[in-house]
Amino acid sequence: MALVLHAGSTNKNAYKTLIAAEYTGVKVALAPNFEMGVSNKTPEFLKMNPIGKVPVLETPDGPIFESNAIARYVTRLKADNPLYGSSSIDYAHIEQWIDFGSLEIDANIVNWFRPRMGKTVYLPPAEEAAIAALKRALGALNTHLASCTYLVGDSVTLADIIMTCNLFMGFTKLMTKSFTSEFPHVERYFWTMVNQPNFKKVLGEVKQTDSVPAVQSAKKPAQAKESAKPKAKEEPKKEAKKEQAKPKAEAEEEEAPKPKPKNPLDLLPPSKMILDDWKRLYSNTKTNFREVAIKGFWDMYDPEGYSLWFCDYKYNDENTVSFVTLNKVGGFLQRMDLARKYAFGKMLIIGADPPYKVKGLWLFRGPEIPEFVMNECYDMELFEWTKVDISDENQKERVSQMIEDQEPFEGEPLLDAKCFK
């Protein structure tokens, strides 16, 4: 019995097995006339994989599902296959990069792609989280590839096959040139792999996407249509509904909504500093900013009711593209909207050339950074936070300089400055 792979001809997870088969010298045939959503719902298919996912490999010894497991099986059909390296440490590193490619690269690409295709509900904060996690993973991969052509050793291994297939959907559907240019070694690696003869037999000519697809609405489940019934027969039901309405109203009256719990910051002792007054002064001061706005800030500032914090981005070496860095900061400020009632912030993007530095100053209600901000805004962990000591005149002057966007700042020009108010 030949090995039959049940999947569509453009399934990137099926590519893993087909490319591994080319290197191994094993014949794997795609199931003829496979139609996603139809073929994988048949009783015959569900016997092979009860949850109906693809791909599935049909073998003389029984079916195998999960794409990485299938690729591993095909690779092991050849004794001492170089796709698995030449030593125990090679094998371990190959497995390491297979897991990394699946958990850190593929998972985040899928979490970015599916909502845009209407497969799940699109939530901008969730997309930002997926992109941030993907960038971090690509950064780690880029660092590894800076000193090597392949993931493990000096030739193609199964790790390269699976990693390239995981990157394939990103390069062809989501990651434009401006996105991937942050990761030049990943770019070089991907184009090297897809142009290898055995890859090209399966993938054909690969073209990088020019744009990110527009968001499509998630499909809502169709509501069951009520069968048409004569009006005369509907009357008793209407009466029944009226009968049921009364106890429901009574129940609602009994279960009055509980008052929304107050934010802990609203329970702090009153402060002499009125945050909205400071925000107005900042916005309305157009001239003599140091003499009017900065002096006004220090006159208003209440160290008992508020605290000042410097923040420094931990991964400035990643900030190699100006507009991507600006978008990163803009996304952070959007997600800080939950703290608008209790905070004021300045974010500076610093430098004439990449990598750009991102530094910030934040004023928060209370003596510490609010717990709900730390818990709910995932960007917070991307920064080092240092509480300002206003008894230190140098720190106090630095606060003033950041508020007024002084340039040069600490000897470097500003690329941009953003305000949260």
Side-chain angles (χ1 to χ4, degrees):
M1 174 187 174
L3 298 177
V4 179
L5 190 64
H6 294 262
S9 60
T10 59
N11 185 301
K12 59 98 178 170
N13 286 326
Y15 293 157
K16 300 173 186 178
T17 295
L18 297 173
I19 296 169
E22 291 291 339
Y23 277 95
T24 305
V26 172
K27 176 68 175 175
V28 176
L30 281 171
N33 305 317
F34 184 90
E35 186 180 349
M36 189 62 188
V38 177
S39 303
N40 60 315
K41 303 298 183 186
T42 63
E44 294 77 17
F45 187 93
L46 294 175
K47 283 181 183 177
M48 296 189 291
N49 185 350
I51 60 175
K53 284 190 174 182
V54 299
V56 170
L57 183 69
E58 201 173 351
T59 82
D61 299 314
I64 307 168
F65 55 84
E66 294 299 336
S67 61
N68 291 349
I70 298 169
R72 288 183 176 104
Y73 169 83
V74 168
T75 300
R76 288 184 179 280
L77 291 176
K78 178 182 178 180
D80 299 322
N81 194 332
L83 288 183
Y84 255 129
S86 57
S87 66
S88 296
I89 193 65
D90 281 354
Y91 171 78
H93 284 153
I94 288 164
E95 290 294 329
Q96 163 192 292
W97 286 110
I98 288 173
D99 286 350
F100 181 90
S102 300
L103 299 173
E104 304 294 340
I105 301 291
D106 187 50
N108 288 307
I109 288 173
V110 168
N111 288 340
W112 182 7
F113 184 69
R114 282 178 58 81
R116 282 196 164 261
M117 293 297 97
K119 303 294 185 183
T120 58
V121 176
Y122 175 77
L123 298 169
E127 180 177 80
E128 289 277 357
I131 293 172
L134 175 61
K135 284 186 172 183
R136 188 176 298 185
L138 290 172
L141 181 60
N142 193 66
T143 299
H144 177 72
L145 292 170
S147 58
C148 52
T149 302
Y150 306 100
L151 289 174
V152 182
D154 299 318
S155 61
V156 171
T157 65
L158 185 60
D160 296 303
I161 293 170
I162 290 176
M163 182 68 76
T164 301
C165 290
N166 287 334
L167 288 167
F168 180 83
M169 185 166 74
F171 270 84
T172 59
K173 302 291 185 184
L174 293 165
M175 302 190 305
T176 61
K177 175 64 179 173
S178 62
F179 183 97
T180 58
S181 62
E182 285 190 63
F183 314 102
H185 303 301
V186 175
E187 285 187 319
R188 182 259 306 157
Y189 169 78
F190 179 78
W191 295 115
T192 298
M193 291 298 107
V194 298
N195 283 294
Q196 297 294 308
N198 285 332
F199 280 78
K200 211 161 188 177
K201 283 181 189 176
V202 175
L203 303 176
E205 292 294 331
V206 178
K207 183 178 181 297
Q208 187 166 10
T209 184
D210 294 324
S211 60
V212 179
V215 177
Q216 299 178 21
S217 300
K219 293 179 181 178
K220 296 180 179 179
Q223 294 181 343
K225 292 182 180 178
E226 294 183 6
S227 55
K229 293 183 182 180
K231 285 187 179 179
K233 291 185 180 179
E234 287 179 357
E235 292 304 320
K237 287 191 177 181
K238 287 182 181 177
E239 290 299 323
K241 284 179 183 176
K242 287 180 184 176
E243 297 261 337
Q244 292 168 7
K246 188 177 179 182
K248 184 179 177 183
E250 288 173 1
E252 287 174 356
E253 196 172 317
E254 289 171 10
E255 297 176 13
K258 293 178 182 178
K260 187 177 179 182
K262 284 191 173 183
N263 188 301
L265 299 183
D266 293 328
L267 303 178
L268 292 174
S271 170
K272 70 170 188 175
M273 183 176 194
I274 308 301
L275 188 58
D276 284 343
D277 288 351
W278 157 241
K279 290 180 178 180
R280 262 191 300 276
L281 178 63
Y282 174 88
S283 298
N284 294 336
T285 304
K286 307 301 181 187
T287 58
N288 300 321
F289 195 87
R290 172 70 70 144
E291 294 76 13
V292 178
I294 299 299
K295 182 180 182 303
F297 174 79
W298 291 117
D299 289 343
M300 293 180 186
Y301 181 62
D302 171 20
E304 300 298 322
Y306 285 82
S307 56
L308 285 162
W309 296 80
F310 294 128
C311 66
D312 290 272
Y313 191 64
K314 294 178 183 178
Y315 308 101
N316 283 320
D317 57 327
E318 297 176 359
N319 298 332
T320 56
V321 179
S322 59
F323 81 88
V324 173
T325 306
L326 295 173
N327 288 344
K328 187 185 296 181
V329 174
F332 169 45
L333 296 182
Q334 286 179 352
R335 288 183 288 280
M336 283 294 287
D337 193 63
L338 76 169
R340 194 169 298 278
K341 182 180 174 184
Y342 310 102
F344 170 86
K346 291 301 297 281
M347 296 298 296
L348 307 184
I349 301 88
I350 303 163
D353 300 300
Y356 303 101
K357 297 175 185 174
V358 175
K359 298 177 182 289
L361 167 75
W362 286 83
L363 171 72
F364 289 114
R365 181 74 165 100
E368 301 295 332
I369 298 175
E371 187 176 357
F372 76 93
V373 175
M374 296 298 292
N375 291 341
E376 296 182 38
C377 184
Y378 66 81
D379 304 75
M380 299 295 284
E381 66 182 26
L382 303 179
F383 293 87
E384 292 286 354
W385 293 88
T386 306
K387 193 170 186 178
V388 176
D389 177 5
I390 61 169
S391 66
D392 183 331
E393 286 301 321
N394 290 330
Q395 291 192 39
K396 193 172 177 181
E397 173 58 21
R398 190 171 190 255
V399 169
S400 298
Q401 291 177 9
M402 295 183 85
I403 292 174
E404 68 173 330
D405 306 335
Q406 179 170 301
E407 188 175 15
F409 178 75
E410 298 181 342
E412 295 186 84
L414 294 182
L415 176 66
D416 198 5
K418 295 180 182 290
C419 182
F420 176 90
K421 61 184 193 298

